[in-house]
Amino acid sequence: MTYWLVDSPGSGDGTRNADFWLGHLQEQGITDVEVCHLDEQGQWRERVAKDDCLMAAGGDGTVNGVAEICLENDAILAVLPSGTANDFARNLNIPDEPQQIAQLVAEGTVQNIDVAVAGERIFLNVAHIGLGTLPAREADGPTKKWLGQFSYVATLFRQIGEQRGFHAEIQTEESAMKGRWLSVAIASGAFFGGGHEIPEASANDGQLNVVAVKPRPLLQLLFAFLMVRLNGETPRRTSTIVQVKSPVCQVRTNQPKPVTVDGDEAGTTPFEAVCKKGVLRVIGREVVQAGRAM
């Protein structure tokens, strides 16, 4: 088995780079490491073999790209959280301390988790349509470096008053919802948006979690947002927020709307996603099971 350290310079505040992680890995006895860059994968991707361990040193976008390579080669994904939000790492209850993370990789305990497939792309965390796409599309580098995961919140607050929502039909295995929405998030795990917890969700339950927000007056939206932040989870159903679970989801809009997946732009609606249960092997001691719905 070969250990690959896939570096993504510029992730997060830029301090957790390849040299940073190599030191901690060497302390745990992992000394023979191939260092490579995600944006140069054409130079090394074909050399990845079955059961190799690909260590993704970056944010959720980097983890997404490395996961795709793991699926293609039946390799194992290890996450070295180095980005802004690191929501995928929360799904695996990966510790914050670099020494503990390196120890986890050395232990090599493997879990099987779900992957959401949307067309030719995969996502491990969330696809956004509407207001939720703005942080990924508009949060600039300096803002992200200064505010970290709260840069997403700052971008939303700058834009929320200008959003009137969009007409869409959200189709799942169990229901169809038509109406005007401010934002639609389709999550494959238990966390999105810098730590928002989704009730009764996990990254290995074979389900997508659709969280849709209705247009409401600014104060009502801010109140709902604050309740989510304070409670640490998204409620199942309120006058502002609706949550639905399903292994498949389709979103059709009257006019094309931008879509982002795991923080990267991914075209426009219509959008369709399918959950593939347990197809990705990852290193982690446990998969987080989120709490009960409110």
Side-chain angles (χ1 to χ4, degrees):
M1 179 180 73
T2 300
Y3 286 96
W4 300 82
L5 176 53
V6 186
D7 193 16
S8 181
S11 293
D13 61 7
T15 60
R16 291 192 171 193
N17 55 18
D19 291 337
F20 173 89
W21 287 111
L22 282 173
H24 290 288
L25 292 167
Q26 289 169 359
E27 290 177 359
Q28 300 300 322
I30 302 175
T31 56
D32 189 9
V33 178
E34 290 266 5
V35 178
C36 51
H37 296 273
L38 188 60
D39 59 1
E40 299 174 353
Q41 58 185 279
Q43 302 177 16
W44 57 269
R45 183 167 180 159
E46 292 184 354
R47 295 167 49 206
V48 176
K50 180 180 179 181
D51 297 329
D52 281 359
C53 178
L54 273 65
M55 300 175 287
D60 290 326
T62 301
V63 173
N64 179 298
V66 177
E68 184 178 308
I69 300 171
C70 289
L71 289 169
E72 179 182 299
N73 296 280
D74 197 14
I76 301 168
L77 172 66
V79 181
L80 309 180
S82 308
T84 303
N86 300 316
D87 280 314
F88 182 71
R90 301 174 198 271
N91 282 304
L92 299 173
N93 200 24
I94 292 177
D96 295 326
E97 291 298 322
Q99 182 178 359
Q100 296 178 17
I101 296 170
Q103 181 180 352
L104 187 65
V105 176
E107 291 173 357
T109 302
V110 173
Q111 306 286 341
N112 284 73
I113 63 145
D114 305 339
V115 170
V117 178
E120 297 182 354
R121 302 189 60 143
I122 68 167
F123 62 95
L124 305 178
N125 290 318
V126 64
H128 275 297
I129 302 164
L131 184 66
T133 67
L134 294 178
R137 292 189 293 131
E138 298 187 11
D140 56 32
T143 300
K144 291 179 70 172
K145 290 185 182 297
W146 279 102
L147 298 179
Q149 70 184 55
F150 295 104
S151 64
Y152 299 110
V153 179
T155 302
L156 286 178
F157 278 4
R158 289 200 306 266
Q159 297 287 342
I160 197 169
E162 301 176 9
Q163 303 299 312
R164 298 181 179 179
F166 55 95
H167 286 284
E169 178 182 0
I170 304 170
Q171 179 78 49
T172 69
E173 193 174 70
E174 300 294 333
S175 63
M177 300 180 292
K178 293 182 180 181
R180 182 176 285 274
W181 308 95
L182 190 65
S183 179
V184 178
I186 301 98
S188 60
F191 299 94
F192 74 95
H196 290 157
E197 184 176 330
I198 304 171
E200 301 177 353
S202 74
N204 63 352
D205 62 1
Q207 299 287 315
L208 300 172
N209 288 272
V210 184
V211 181
V213 180
K214 302 175 183 178
R216 291 292 184 262
L218 180 59
L219 289 179
Q220 186 173 344
L221 289 170
L222 293 179
F223 177 77
F225 173 82
L226 288 173
M227 290 300 98
V228 169
R229 295 301 297 187
L230 291 173
N231 292 325
E233 59 184 25
T234 302
R236 172 62 59 86
R237 184 177 292 269
T238 70
S239 62
T240 304
I241 301 174
V242 177
Q243 180 193 344
V244 179
K245 297 174 73 70
S246 174
V248 296
C249 176
Q250 297 177 344
V251 181
R252 295 184 175 87
T253 56
N254 289 359
Q255 300 293 330
K257 299 291 295 182
V259 178
T260 59
V261 297
D262 287 351
D264 292 328
E265 295 185 43
T268 60
T269 54
F271 176 82
E272 181 174 356
V274 178
C275 183
K276 301 293 186 179
K277 182 174 173 59
V279 297
L280 177 65
R281 292 187 292 164
V282 298
I283 288 180
R285 296 193 184 101
E286 61 180 335
V287 178
V288 172
Q289 306 290 323
R292 295 185 61 83
M294 295 172 60

